[in-house]
Protein backbone atom coordinates (compact mmCIF):
# COMPACT_ATOMS: atom_id res chain seq x y z
CA UNK A 1 0.00 0.00 0.00
CA UNK A 2 1.32 3.43 -0.94
CA UNK A 3 2.21 5.56 2.06
CA UNK A 4 0.26 8.86 2.20
CA UNK A 5 2.30 12.00 1.48
CA UNK A 6 3.84 13.76 4.45
CA UNK A 7 1.86 16.96 4.91
CA UNK A 8 2.81 17.96 8.44
CA UNK A 9 6.18 18.54 10.07
CA UNK A 10 5.39 16.91 13.43
CA UNK A 11 8.27 18.59 15.26
CA UNK A 12 7.12 22.02 14.10
CA UNK A 13 3.51 21.23 15.04
CA UNK A 14 4.48 20.19 18.57
CA UNK A 15 6.66 23.26 18.93
CA UNK A 16 3.77 25.49 17.86
CA UNK A 17 1.45 23.78 20.33
CA UNK A 18 3.93 24.19 23.17
CA UNK A 19 3.97 27.93 22.46
CA UNK A 20 0.16 28.21 22.40
CA UNK A 21 -1.55 30.38 24.99
CA UNK A 22 -3.99 28.08 26.78
CA UNK A 23 -5.67 31.06 28.45
CA UNK A 24 -6.33 33.39 25.51
CA UNK A 25 -5.79 31.28 22.40
CA UNK A 26 -8.29 28.45 22.83
CA UNK A 27 -11.61 30.17 22.07
CA UNK A 28 -12.26 27.98 19.02
CA UNK A 29 -11.60 24.84 21.06
CA UNK A 30 -14.07 26.06 23.68
CA UNK A 31 -16.65 26.75 20.96
CA UNK A 32 -16.09 23.22 19.61
CA UNK A 33 -16.48 21.73 23.09
CA UNK A 34 -19.81 23.54 23.53
CA UNK A 35 -21.06 22.20 20.18
CA UNK A 36 -19.95 18.64 20.91
CA UNK A 37 -21.55 18.83 24.38
CA UNK A 38 -24.86 19.97 22.87
CA UNK A 39 -24.78 17.16 20.31
CA UNK A 40 -24.02 14.54 22.93
CA UNK A 41 -27.03 15.71 24.94
CA UNK A 42 -29.25 14.89 21.96
CA UNK A 43 -28.08 11.27 22.05
CA UNK A 44 -29.96 9.31 24.70
CA UNK A 45 -26.99 7.32 25.93
CA UNK A 46 -24.49 7.27 28.78
CA UNK A 47 -20.89 6.67 27.79
CA UNK A 48 -18.85 4.73 30.32
CA UNK A 49 -15.56 4.46 28.44
CA UNK A 50 -14.91 7.53 26.26
CA UNK A 51 -11.68 8.61 24.58
CA UNK A 52 -10.63 11.92 23.02
CA UNK A 53 -7.92 12.28 20.38
CA UNK A 54 -6.39 15.74 20.74
CA UNK A 55 -3.28 17.85 20.67
CA UNK A 56 -4.57 19.90 23.61
CA UNK A 57 -5.50 17.47 26.41
CA UNK A 58 -5.57 20.25 29.02
CA UNK A 59 -8.50 21.84 27.20
CA UNK A 60 -10.46 18.77 26.12
CA UNK A 61 -10.32 16.88 29.42
CA UNK A 62 -13.26 19.05 30.51
CA UNK A 63 -15.61 17.49 27.93
CA UNK A 64 -16.42 14.31 29.87
CA UNK A 65 -15.57 12.76 33.24
CA UNK A 66 -13.13 9.83 33.32
CA UNK A 67 -12.16 10.37 29.70
CA UNK A 68 -9.07 8.81 28.16
CA UNK A 69 -6.91 11.42 26.40
CA UNK A 70 -5.02 10.23 23.32
CA UNK A 71 -2.31 12.16 21.47
CA UNK A 72 -3.03 12.66 17.76
CA UNK A 73 -0.03 10.71 16.48
CA UNK A 74 -0.15 8.81 13.19
CA UNK A 75 -0.61 5.58 15.16
CA UNK A 76 -3.22 6.24 17.83
CA UNK A 77 -2.88 4.56 21.23
CA UNK A 78 -6.39 3.11 21.03
CA UNK A 79 -7.08 -0.52 21.85
CA UNK A 80 -9.40 -2.36 19.47
CA UNK A 81 -13.11 -2.45 20.45
CA UNK A 82 -12.42 -0.83 23.82
CA UNK A 83 -14.44 2.41 23.79
CA UNK A 84 -18.10 3.33 23.46
CA UNK A 85 -17.27 6.90 22.38
CA UNK A 86 -14.27 8.34 20.52
CA UNK A 87 -14.00 12.08 19.81
CA UNK A 88 -11.35 13.36 17.39
CA UNK A 89 -10.84 16.96 18.45
CA UNK A 90 -9.48 19.75 16.25
CA UNK A 91 -6.59 17.77 14.79
CA UNK A 92 -7.65 16.11 11.52
CA UNK A 93 -6.37 19.02 9.40
CA UNK A 94 -2.81 18.21 10.56
CA UNK A 95 -3.11 14.48 9.88
CA UNK A 96 -1.00 13.03 7.08
CA UNK A 97 -3.61 10.28 6.67
CA UNK A 98 -7.09 11.49 7.76
CA UNK A 99 -8.79 8.30 6.54
CA UNK A 100 -6.30 6.24 8.53
CA UNK A 101 -7.15 8.27 11.63
CA UNK A 102 -10.87 7.56 11.12
CA UNK A 103 -10.27 3.86 10.54
CA UNK A 104 -8.24 3.61 13.74
CA UNK A 105 -11.03 5.34 15.66
CA UNK A 106 -13.64 2.95 14.23
CA UNK A 107 -11.55 -0.08 15.19
CA UNK A 108 -11.28 1.28 18.73
CA UNK A 109 -15.07 1.40 19.12
CA UNK A 110 -17.21 -1.36 20.51
CA UNK A 111 -20.10 -2.40 18.21
CA UNK A 112 -22.64 0.45 18.09
CA UNK A 113 -20.08 2.81 19.63
CA UNK A 114 -20.20 6.47 18.63
CA UNK A 115 -17.53 8.43 16.78
CA UNK A 116 -17.57 12.23 16.69
CA UNK A 117 -15.02 14.62 15.22
CA UNK A 118 -14.60 18.35 14.93
CA UNK A 119 -12.01 20.13 12.84
CA UNK A 120 -11.39 23.05 10.53
CA UNK A 121 -13.20 23.15 7.19
CA UNK A 122 -12.32 24.61 3.82
CA UNK A 123 -13.67 28.12 4.45
CA UNK A 124 -11.35 28.64 7.40
CA UNK A 125 -9.13 31.73 6.99
CA UNK A 126 -10.40 32.28 3.47
CA UNK A 127 -9.72 36.03 3.78
CA UNK A 128 -6.12 35.55 4.94
CA UNK A 129 -5.45 32.94 2.27
CA UNK A 130 -6.71 35.27 -0.45
CA UNK A 131 -4.66 38.24 0.74
CA UNK A 132 -1.39 36.38 1.28
CA UNK A 133 -1.68 34.44 -2.00
CA UNK A 134 -2.03 37.64 -4.03
CA UNK A 135 0.68 39.41 -2.03
CA UNK A 136 3.23 36.63 -2.42
CA UNK A 137 2.54 36.35 -6.15
CA UNK A 138 2.98 40.10 -6.56
CA UNK A 139 6.18 40.38 -4.51
CA UNK A 140 8.01 37.12 -5.26
CA UNK A 141 6.32 35.84 -8.41
CA UNK A 142 5.52 32.50 -6.75
CA UNK A 143 3.62 30.76 -3.97
CA UNK A 144 4.66 28.71 -0.94
CA UNK A 145 2.57 26.43 1.32
CA UNK A 146 1.34 28.39 4.32
CA UNK A 147 -2.00 27.04 5.58
CA UNK A 148 -2.83 23.40 6.24
CA UNK A 149 -5.20 21.84 3.67
CA UNK A 150 -8.77 21.77 4.94
CA UNK A 151 -11.49 19.71 3.30
CA UNK A 152 -14.99 20.77 2.29
CA UNK A 153 -17.79 19.29 4.40
CA UNK A 154 -19.10 17.14 1.51
CA UNK A 155 -15.63 15.67 0.93
CA UNK A 156 -14.73 14.93 4.52
CA UNK A 157 -18.20 13.51 5.15
CA UNK A 158 -17.53 10.87 2.48
CA UNK A 159 -14.42 9.83 4.41
CA UNK A 160 -16.70 8.44 7.12
CA UNK A 161 -18.15 5.98 4.63
CA UNK A 162 -14.69 5.05 3.37
CA UNK A 163 -13.64 4.35 6.96
CA UNK A 164 -16.62 2.00 7.41
CA UNK A 165 -18.85 3.98 9.76
CA UNK A 166 -22.60 3.38 9.76
CA UNK A 167 -25.19 6.18 9.59
CA UNK A 168 -22.61 8.91 8.79
CA UNK A 169 -23.50 12.58 9.27
CA UNK A 170 -21.45 15.69 8.48
CA UNK A 171 -22.32 19.35 8.97
CA UNK A 172 -20.54 22.61 9.63
CA UNK A 173 -20.75 25.78 11.69
CA UNK A 174 -19.17 29.02 10.51
CA UNK A 175 -17.77 31.45 13.08
CA UNK A 176 -16.40 34.92 12.40
CA UNK A 177 -13.90 36.69 14.63
CA UNK A 178 -12.99 40.32 14.00
CA UNK A 179 -9.68 42.07 14.57
CA UNK A 180 -8.24 45.57 14.48
CA UNK A 181 -5.48 44.54 12.07
CA UNK A 182 -4.21 41.41 10.25
CA UNK A 183 -1.25 41.46 12.64
CA UNK A 184 -3.65 40.81 15.53
CA UNK A 185 -5.08 37.83 13.66
CA UNK A 186 -1.64 36.34 13.00
CA UNK A 187 -0.76 36.74 16.66
CA UNK A 188 -3.98 34.92 17.57
CA UNK A 189 -3.07 32.05 15.24
CA UNK A 190 0.23 31.66 17.06
CA UNK A 191 -1.62 31.69 20.38
CA UNK A 192 -3.87 28.90 19.04
CA UNK A 193 -0.86 26.78 18.12
CA UNK A 194 -1.96 27.00 14.49
CA UNK A 195 1.13 28.61 12.94
CA UNK A 196 2.56 27.07 9.77
CA UNK A 197 3.73 23.48 10.40
CA UNK A 198 3.58 22.19 6.83
CA UNK A 199 6.40 19.90 5.73
CA UNK A 200 6.73 21.82 2.44
CA UNK A 201 6.80 25.29 4.03
CA UNK A 202 9.67 27.70 3.45
CA UNK A 203 12.31 27.22 6.14
CA UNK A 204 13.18 30.91 6.29
CA UNK A 205 11.44 34.05 7.47
CA UNK A 206 8.69 35.39 5.21
CA UNK A 207 9.81 38.50 3.41
CA UNK A 208 8.65 41.62 5.23
CA UNK A 209 7.34 43.04 1.95
CA UNK A 210 5.05 40.01 1.55
CA UNK A 211 3.61 40.48 5.04
CA UNK A 212 3.11 44.21 4.58
CA UNK A 213 1.43 43.77 1.19
CA UNK A 214 -0.83 40.96 2.43
CA UNK A 215 -1.89 43.16 5.35
CA UNK A 216 -2.72 45.99 2.94
CA UNK A 217 -4.76 43.69 0.71
CA UNK A 218 -6.60 42.20 3.68
CA UNK A 219 -7.67 45.67 4.82
CA UNK A 220 -8.56 46.84 1.31
CA UNK A 221 -10.68 43.81 0.47
CA UNK A 222 -12.33 42.89 3.76
CA UNK A 223 -12.30 45.68 6.35
CA UNK A 224 -15.77 46.68 7.57
CA UNK A 225 -16.54 49.23 10.27
CA UNK A 226 -12.83 49.50 11.09
CA UNK A 227 -12.50 45.76 11.75
CA UNK A 228 -11.29 42.88 9.60
CA UNK A 229 -13.16 39.53 9.67
CA UNK A 230 -11.59 36.10 9.93
CA UNK A 231 -13.76 33.11 9.06
CA UNK A 232 -13.36 29.83 10.94
CA UNK A 233 -15.44 26.90 9.69
CA UNK A 234 -15.86 24.00 12.10
CA UNK A 235 -16.85 20.68 10.49
CA UNK A 236 -18.58 18.11 12.69
CA UNK A 237 -18.64 14.40 11.87
CA UNK A 238 -20.71 11.65 13.44
CA UNK A 239 -20.78 7.95 12.72
CA UNK A 240 -21.42 4.64 14.45
CA UNK A 241 -19.46 1.44 14.62
CA UNK A 242 -21.59 -1.08 12.73
CA UNK A 243 -24.03 -3.24 14.70
CA UNK A 244 -26.70 -5.68 13.40
CA UNK A 245 -29.56 -3.90 15.20
CA UNK A 246 -28.86 -0.46 13.73
CA UNK A 247 -31.42 0.98 11.28
CA UNK A 248 -30.38 0.60 7.67
CA UNK A 249 -31.06 2.90 4.71
CA UNK A 250 -33.80 1.80 2.35
CA UNK A 251 -32.85 -0.01 -0.81
CA UNK A 252 -32.53 2.44 -3.71
CA UNK A 253 -35.90 2.74 -5.49
CA UNK A 254 -37.95 1.26 -2.65
CA UNK A 255 -39.46 4.52 -1.35
CA UNK A 256 -43.23 4.96 -1.72
CA UNK A 257 -43.22 8.78 -1.62
CA UNK A 258 -41.73 11.06 -4.25
CA UNK A 259 -39.49 13.91 -3.05
CA UNK A 260 -41.43 16.31 -5.27
CA UNK A 261 -44.66 15.43 -3.45
CA UNK A 262 -43.07 16.13 -0.07
CA UNK A 263 -41.73 19.50 -1.23
CA UNK A 264 -45.05 20.48 -2.77
CA UNK A 265 -46.93 19.58 0.40
CA UNK A 266 -44.50 21.60 2.55
CA UNK A 267 -44.97 24.67 0.32
CA UNK A 268 -48.77 24.48 0.40
CA UNK A 269 -49.05 23.57 4.08
CA UNK A 270 -50.81 20.27 3.28
CA UNK A 271 -50.31 17.27 5.59
Amino acid sequence: MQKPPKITDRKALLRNRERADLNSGMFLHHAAIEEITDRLKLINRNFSNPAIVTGFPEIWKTLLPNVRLIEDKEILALEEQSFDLVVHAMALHWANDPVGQLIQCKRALKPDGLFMAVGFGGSTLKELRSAITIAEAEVTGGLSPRIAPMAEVRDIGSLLQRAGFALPVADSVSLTATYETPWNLMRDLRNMGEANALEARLRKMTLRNVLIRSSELYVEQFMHLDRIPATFELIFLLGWAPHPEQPRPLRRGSANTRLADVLNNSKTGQQ
Side-chain angles (χ1 to χ4, degrees), residues 35-56:
E35 283 282 346
I36 292 288
T37 299
D38 289 343
R39 291 160 192 250
L40 285 173
K41 288 177 180 177
L42 297 175
I43 299 170
N44 187 24
R45 181 175 298 192
N46 293 320
F47 297 99
S48 59
N49 195 13
I52 300 177
V53 178
T54 176
F56 290 98

Side-chain angles (χ1 to χ4, degrees), residues 11-115:
K11 290 183 179 179
L13 177 63
L14 295 178
R15 182 176 64 245
N16 292 343
R17 287 174 173 175
E18 288 172 0
R19 296 173 178 173
D21 188 331
L22 299 185
N23 293 316
S24 66
M26 297 290 107
F27 65 92
L28 290 172
H29 285 259
H30 291 302
I33 288 172
E34 288 183 11
E35 283 282 346
I36 292 288
T37 299
D38 289 343
R39 291 160 192 250
L40 285 173
K41 288 177 180 177
L42 297 175
I43 299 170
N44 187 24
R45 181 175 298 192
N46 293 320
F47 297 99
S48 59
N49 195 13
I52 300 177
V53 178
T54 176
F56 290 98
E58 304 91 339
I59 303 300
W60 282 87
K61 67 182 181 182
T62 61
L63 178 65
L64 291 164
N66 303 316
V67 69
R68 174 102 163 265
L69 298 164
I70 306 295
E71 187 178 356
D72 62 321
K73 295 180 178 180
E74 287 194 39
I75 304 300
L76 302 175
L78 293 168
E79 297 82 16
E80 190 170 348
Q81 292 195 8
S82 297
F83 303 92
D84 52 8
L85 170 67
V86 174
V87 178
H88 204 298
M90 301 290 280
L92 273 177
H93 61 293
W94 289 119
N96 289 316
D97 183 11
V99 176
Q101 293 278 298
L102 299 184
I103 290 173
Q104 291 180 71
C105 290
K106 186 182 76 69
R107 288 175 178 168
L109 287 168
K110 299 174 182 178
D112 204 35
L114 175 63
F115 172 75

Side-chain angles (χ1 to χ4, degrees), residues 43-240:
I43 299 170
N44 187 24
R45 181 175 298 192
N46 293 320
F47 297 99
S48 59
N49 195 13
I52 300 177
V53 178
T54 176
F56 290 98
E58 304 91 339
I59 303 300
W60 282 87
K61 67 182 181 182
T62 61
L63 178 65
L64 291 164
N66 303 316
V67 69
R68 174 102 163 265
L69 298 164
I70 306 295
E71 187 178 356
D72 62 321
K73 295 180 178 180
E74 287 194 39
I75 304 300
L76 302 175
L78 293 168
E79 297 82 16
E80 190 170 348
Q81 292 195 8
S82 297
F83 303 92
D84 52 8
L85 170 67
V86 174
V87 178
H88 204 298
M90 301 290 280
L92 273 177
H93 61 293
W94 289 119
N96 289 316
D97 183 11
V99 176
Q101 293 278 298
L102 299 184
I103 290 173
Q104 291 180 71
C105 290
K106 186 182 76 69
R107 288 175 178 168
L109 287 168
K110 299 174 182 178
D112 204 35
L114 175 63
F115 172 75
M116 301 183 77
V118 55
F120 289 121
S123 294
T124 298
L125 297 175
K126 61 183 180 181
E127 302 90 355
L128 178 61
R129 280 184 288 170
S130 172
I132 204 164
T133 297
I134 296 171
E136 191 167 26
E138 285 184 5
V139 175
T140 70
L143 297 174
S144 60
R146 295 186 177 277
I147 298 176
M150 302 172 195
E152 301 295 331
V153 64
R154 62 181 179 275
D155 298 324
I156 199 167
S158 68
L159 298 185
L160 287 170
Q161 292 179 312
R162 287 179 57 189
F165 285 102
L167 308 173
V169 177
D171 69 304
S172 66
V173 173
S174 185
L175 305 173
T176 302
T178 62
Y179 297 89
E180 291 183 9
T181 71
W183 308 103
N184 296 101
L185 166 60
M186 287 184 267
R187 182 180 62 204
D188 238 8
L189 292 176
R190 288 193 295 271
N191 289 340
M192 295 176 197
E194 294 292 340
N196 192 349
L198 294 173
E199 177 68 23
R201 74 191 187 282
L202 290 176
R203 303 306 173 98
K204 57 184 180 180
M205 294 290 290
T206 300
L207 292 175
R208 182 172 177 79
N209 287 350
V210 172
L211 294 176
I212 291 174
R213 182 57 180 147
S214 63
S215 179
E216 292 172 347
L217 288 167
Y218 205 133
V219 169
E220 291 171 7
Q221 295 180 3
F222 301 108
M223 178 169 274
H224 179 65
L225 299 178
D226 296 325
R227 305 279 292 183
I228 60 157
T231 298
F232 296 96
E233 182 187 20
L234 297 181
I235 290 181
F236 295 87
L237 305 178
L238 183 151
W240 298 87

